[in-house]
Amino acid sequence: MLRDRHFWMVVAAGLLLGGFGALLAIWGNPENSGICVSCFIENSAGALGMHDNARMQYLRPELIGFVLGAMASALVFREFRSRGGSAPLPRLFAGIFLIVGCSIFIGCPIKLFLRLAAGDLTVVAGVAGLVAGVWAGLRGLANGVDLGQPGRDKGHGGALIPLFFILLLAFLLIRPGFIIFSSQGSAAQHAPVPLSLGAGIVLGALAQRSRFCITGSIRDVFLMGKRTPALWGVLAFFIAAVVANLAGGKFSPGLYGQPGAHLEHLWSFLGMGLVGWISVLIGGCPFRQLIKAGEGDADAGLVVVGMFMGGAIVQSWGIAATAAGVPLAGKAAILAGFACVLAACLLFRTRTP
């Protein structure tokens, strides 16, 4: 395995993702949120006027970098393929419920491990939930649940999401009046644009080449044990984040008073459980969906559209959890998410005669 170039590419992706994830928080992003795809999508949806939470509106350069870095890498290595057409509406709703689950936990799978690397022990329930969700998703696949395989898209629809993010880059640089930027709250905390955008592009390109994904790594460990390079990628991610937090004075172990965290562990477990389950069924976590969309996957692009809708909904409908706890609307949304995923598993299950 040590002679395998892909192994070292996965390790490098993990190292840089964990390192930049911690460093971006030191450079100005919210504490323990150097990289959080779900939080950044909620911020970006607010910047586009999709919700009116004045504390959650900023066009995050990291998201733009992820997609454009993946697109550039796919074009350079001739892997950009416009494809799609597999269960589009279920994928759209999957994107919405991915953000619902993340908003209840307060963070995506990347932020989960960044919080743990900063000493936040409240994430233990989330880790257990994510592992349980991935296991449930794998059980579904083993029992015939299949959303279908994407076909080649002759209409080049897979280019639309990368073009949308190029438009977002123009909005970020030109800053037209209809784009909203928070002056207070977590969205007002951000690293300098060149650093955020540069880190995003590097991570997007490396993730496209390595196929690195947090939930995909957990899935591969279930399937292959310690033989999978993904396990070492996650370990590299965690070690890099811990070292950066220690060096930057950001490591603070404990259960109470952690930034962007609550103590409703059951709902943290369920939130990450929903994210893990959905991620296995659609082939990757929120970060992986952005990378796939950047390389021309229109199905992943629909998940991204759903995630933006989810970002607007969780803020507009009072679903997102805060440090004070999980609101009633959030608890109802999580249960609705599990009901919808279970129904989808029954509908898309292929029974052998």
Side-chain angles (χ1 to χ4, degrees):
M1 188 163 58
L2 295 178
R3 297 180 178 178
D4 182 3
R5 191 174 69 170
H6 177 69
F7 169 82
W8 290 110
M9 200 175 294
V10 171
V11 171
L15 275 174
L16 287 181
L17 193 60
F20 277 131
L23 287 173
L24 283 166
I26 295 172
W27 293 336
N29 280 1
E31 209 167 353
N32 292 359
S33 299
I35 293 175
C36 174
V37 173
S38 60
C39 308
F40 290 179
I41 282 181
E42 291 174 42
N43 289 169
S44 299
L48 295 173
M50 295 173 70
H51 67 72
D52 59 359
N53 185 341
R55 300 171 62 86
M56 294 287 286
Q57 296 164 324
Y58 178 58
L59 210 49
R60 290 283 177 184
E62 294 88 349
L63 291 185
I64 298 170
F66 293 156
V67 174
L68 298 189
M71 179 188 70
S73 173
L75 288 172
V76 168
F77 292 98
R78 299 183 178 181
E79 292 183 344
F80 190 92
R81 299 281 187 277
S82 185
R83 56 194 187 276
S86 162
L89 275 179
R91 291 182 188 275
L92 182 73
F93 280 90
I96 294 173
F97 283 115
L98 273 179
I99 299 301
V100 168
C102 290
S103 73
I104 298 304
F105 171 73
I106 313 184
C108 71
I110 291 177
K111 181 175 174 177
L112 180 151
F113 283 98
L114 288 177
R115 283 173 55 180
L116 187 62
D120 181 353
L121 299 182
T122 66
V123 304
V124 173
V127 173
L130 188 66
V131 171
V134 170
W135 177 83
L138 281 173
R139 293 297 302 163
L141 295 181
N143 284 286
V145 177
D146 184 7
L147 297 184
Q149 296 300 314
R152 187 176 178 83
D153 180 11
K154 297 179 181 178
H156 305 291
L160 290 177
I161 292 298
L163 289 173
F164 172 66
F165 276 85
I166 290 174
L167 181 65
L168 293 185
L169 177 61
F171 287 165
L172 175 69
L173 298 178
I174 299 171
R175 301 203 169 196
F178 55 83
I179 298 296
I180 310 166
F181 292 93
S182 295
S183 58
Q184 58 181 343
S186 61
Q189 303 172 32
H190 51 80
V193 170
L195 289 177
S196 301
L197 186 61
I201 290 173
V202 170
L203 292 174
L206 199 51
Q208 193 276 327
R209 294 297 297 151
S210 66
R211 275 64 173 172
F212 184 75
C213 167
I214 296 290
T215 54
S217 300
I218 298 172
R219 176 202 61 200
D220 290 352
V221 169
F222 271 121
L223 295 174
M224 301 170 61
K226 63 181 181 181
R227 290 175 299 159
T228 174
L231 171 64
W232 305 102
V234 171
L235 288 175
F237 171 100
F238 186 71
I239 292 170
V242 169
V243 170
N245 280 319
L246 286 171
K250 298 293 185 181
F251 185 78
S252 176
L255 192 63
Y256 301 100
Q258 295 289 346
H262 60 73
L263 297 174
E264 298 196 40
H265 306 306
L266 172 62
W267 295 101
S268 291
F269 176 89
L270 292 175
M272 274 293 110
L274 183 62
V275 172
W277 194 357
I278 293 174
S279 296
V280 170
L281 296 180
I282 63 175
C285 65
F287 176 69
R288 181 72 186 135
Q289 298 301 321
L290 285 169
I291 301 304
K292 290 166 67 177
E295 59 185 24
D297 188 330
D299 290 338
L302 266 175
V303 177
V304 172
V305 173
M307 290 197 294
F308 270 82
M309 294 172 62
I313 288 171
V314 299
Q315 291 298 324
S316 299
W317 295 3
I319 289 172
T322 65
V326 182
L328 181 61
K331 296 173 181 176
I334 278 289
L335 297 179
F338 275 107
C340 288
V341 175
L342 182 59
C345 287
L346 294 174
L347 288 171
F348 284 92
R349 183 183 175 193
T350 303
R351 291 178 172 80
T352 53

